[in-house]
């Protein structure tokens, strides 16, 4: 069963790996492959700690396998709307309900 919890700074390395792996699997052949770097990990850690977007991780058997970030809309037309900032699932866990759980949570947060 997918467990959801708030992300913490210590999740940054795993979340960066998930972002890179899912990007490369889904888009790498079209838009170029990406690499995990210390800078990317530290930017992720800073974003999580700043919590400008509500960061949530999905776990299976206590292992982070995906994440989502939801925050206020950056669209000046309607600042009351929410926005899905980022969502990624480890490709090894695609088609197991992780993304569905994260998207369901994001819809709840966006509509609040």
């Amino acid at each position: 069963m997918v467990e959801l919890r708030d992300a913490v700074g210590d999740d940054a390395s795993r979340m960066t790996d998930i972002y890179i792996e899912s990007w490369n699997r889904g888009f790498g052949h079209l838009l170029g492959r990406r690499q995990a770097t210390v800078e990317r990990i530290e930017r992720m850690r800073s974003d999580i700690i700043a919590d400008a977007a509500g960061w949530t991780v999905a776990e299976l058997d206590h292992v982070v396998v995906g994440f989502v970030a939801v925050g206020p809309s950056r669209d000046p037309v309607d600042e009351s709307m929410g926005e899905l900032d980022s969502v990624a699932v480890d490709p090894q866990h695609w088609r197991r309900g992780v993304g569905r759980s994260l998207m369901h949570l994001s819809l709840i947060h966006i509509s609040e």
Side-chain angles (χ1 to χ4, degrees), residues 19-95:
Y19 169 76
I20 296 297
E21 290 168 18
S22 64
W23 172 275
N24 287 341
R25 177 78 65 87
F27 307 110
H29 64 290
L30 298 171
L31 301 170
R33 296 181 59 78
R34 296 189 173 177
Q35 299 292 322
T37 64
V38 171
E39 292 80 15
R40 264 191 215 277
I41 294 168
E42 289 309 311
R43 185 172 64 222
M44 178 73 75
R45 186 181 325 279
S46 294
D47 288 348
I48 293 165
I49 292 169
D51 200 34
W55 292 90
T56 301
V57 295
E59 293 183 328
L60 288 173
D61 299 322
H62 306 288
V63 175
V64 174
V65 295
F67 65 89
V68 66
V70 178
S73 175
R74 293 173 283 193
D75 185 342
V77 173
D78 188 353
E79 295 175 5
S80 68
M81 293 175 46
E83 180 174 310
L84 175 65
D85 182 80
S86 183
V87 61
V89 175
D90 182 338
Q92 294 180 0
H93 294 89
W94 286 357
R95 306 272 184 223

